[in-house]
Amino acid sequence: MKLNFSEEVSGALHFDRPVVALESTVIAHGLPFPQNIETAYKLERIIRENGATPATIAIFDGEICVGLNDAQIESLATATDVRKVSVRDLPLVIAGKRNGATTVATTSLIADLAGIRVFSTGGIGGVHRGRANDISADLPVLANTPILVVCSGAKSVLDLPATREWLETYGVVVLGWQCDELPAFYSRSSGLAIDGRVDSDRGAAAVLKARDELGLRNAVVLAVPVPEQAAIDGDELEAMLERAIVLAAESSISGKEITPFLLSQLSQISGGKTLAANIALLENNARVAAEVSLKIER
Ligand code: PSU
Ligand code: MN
């Protein structure tokens, strides 16, 4: 499959310099305007300031783009015809020459095709609450794609214990960044175990190196808690989430619409607190991802 690289990203890959992939669903569907466009630029800036090259990934006119220009980022943030592209959508959007925003699943697949080792995002998809057969395609892709995903765990709108079990079954290593519990996106802890704690960029890079030397193709998740000042208390979040889930059921929201719907309802119910937390953790994860990418051997 042909990939369209920006000059910045192709130069960095050519010279084996560290590159951090970024997804576009969070821009097109995860955050509201104008915070989405501001955050998209800010994440790229943070990665550059920390010594790596950002590669935001999306699909335009059926072409896979790795590294976007300003007009492309603006169109993701403002256009209404950008499809949320998970694995099953990818062939359709390419064949139909359409525009699409990539999820964790498709960003990971494309980053791996491009030779990018590190990917920074907010939260991975997982098993939905009360819908044990609604499992994000993010999970099977992570089971088979050798990438390091820096995130704040799985979104709290999901069934976190079931998601955690799934990762264990399929051999995805879950690392805690300077923490001993799996973060729960808006909250710093979930009560769920991680597989190992790492306290430094070198520690994370060493796990990646061992995975590669073993020939394992499973992703490594580096779970970074939301910064303390933006964190939301777990019980408070739970109450808000229950209201949002009821609203989703009442509005018959299902399938790929669920995640964006719950995220926007939560932001309204919380008076913007979940949005602020989401942005804070995205920025912090981008910084950690850039730091770790500098320590990975190429
Ligand atoms: N986390 C966020 N905002 C998002 C998502 C995750 O804070 O928009 C997106 C990611 O792109 C993730 C996707 O891959 O939601 C999962 O959707 P689904 O459950 O339909 O696979
Ligand atoms: Mn789903």
Side-chain angles (χ1 to χ4, degrees), residues 46-273:
I46 290 170
I47 289 168
R48 288 193 192 98
E49 282 168 2
N50 285 279
T53 298
T56 306
I57 293 175
I59 300 155
F60 289 98
D61 301 322
E63 295 193 11
I64 297 177
C65 299
V66 183
L68 306 183
N69 59 37
D70 288 0
Q72 289 172 321
I73 290 195
E74 188 173 329
S75 116
L76 284 174
T78 54
T80 48
D81 64 341
V82 180
R83 180 164 171 165
K84 174 178 165 186
V85 180
S86 192
V87 183
R88 71 184 187 279
D89 311 282
L90 196 51
L92 295 172
V93 171
I94 291 173
K97 304 198 184 323
R98 303 276 304 275
N99 298 337
T102 52
T103 62
V104 168
T106 44
T107 307
S108 298
L109 282 176
I110 294 165
D112 184 50
L113 281 178
I116 299 173
R117 318 284 313 279
V118 180
F119 163 30
S120 182
T121 187
I124 60 171
V127 183
H128 277 271
R129 293 196 190 193
R131 306 169 189 251
N133 55 3
D134 183 353
I135 300 176
S136 172
D138 292 356
L139 293 183
V141 168
L142 293 180
N144 283 299
T145 309
I147 192 149
L148 178 77
V149 184
V150 181
C151 63
S152 297
K155 280 152 297 170
S156 352
V157 303
L158 299 168
D159 181 337
L160 294 185
T163 302
R164 212 266 157 268
E165 287 297 337
W166 203 103
L167 293 168
E168 176 182 328
T169 301
Y170 290 93
V172 177
V173 184
V174 180
L175 299 176
W177 175 259
Q178 299 168 352
C179 64
D180 298 300
E181 261 181 43
L182 185 65
F185 202 68
Y186 302 118
S187 313
R188 288 175 60 87
S189 59
S190 64
L192 296 167
I194 48 165
D195 299 316
R197 172 182 171 127
V198 289
D199 288 292
S200 70
D201 40 16
R202 279 178 206 286
V207 175
L208 213 65
K209 180 163 186 253
R211 177 202 64 187
D212 292 345
E213 287 174 355
L214 286 161
L216 292 173
R217 291 193 46 85
N218 322 65
V220 173
V221 167
L222 179 58
V224 183
V226 58
E228 194 104 49
Q229 67 279 9
I232 301 173
D233 169 75
D235 294 335
E236 187 189 340
L237 185 75
E238 207 44 43
M240 298 192 290
L241 192 53
E242 271 161 30
R243 285 173 58 194
I245 289 174
V246 169
L247 281 171
E250 283 171 4
S251 323
S252 309
I253 305 286
S254 67
K256 68 202 264 181
E257 310 301 334
I258 288 186
T259 300
F261 180 87
L262 291 178
L263 293 177
S264 80
Q265 289 301 323
L266 272 179
S267 175
Q268 282 185 34
I269 296 171
S270 70
K273 266 175 86 173

Side-chain angles (χ1 to χ4, degrees), residues 38-50 52 54:
E38 290 162 9
T39 305
Y41 289 133
K42 182 95 184 275
L43 298 181
E44 294 205 336
R45 197 158 68 236
I46 290 170
I47 289 168
R48 288 193 192 98
E49 282 168 2
N50 285 279

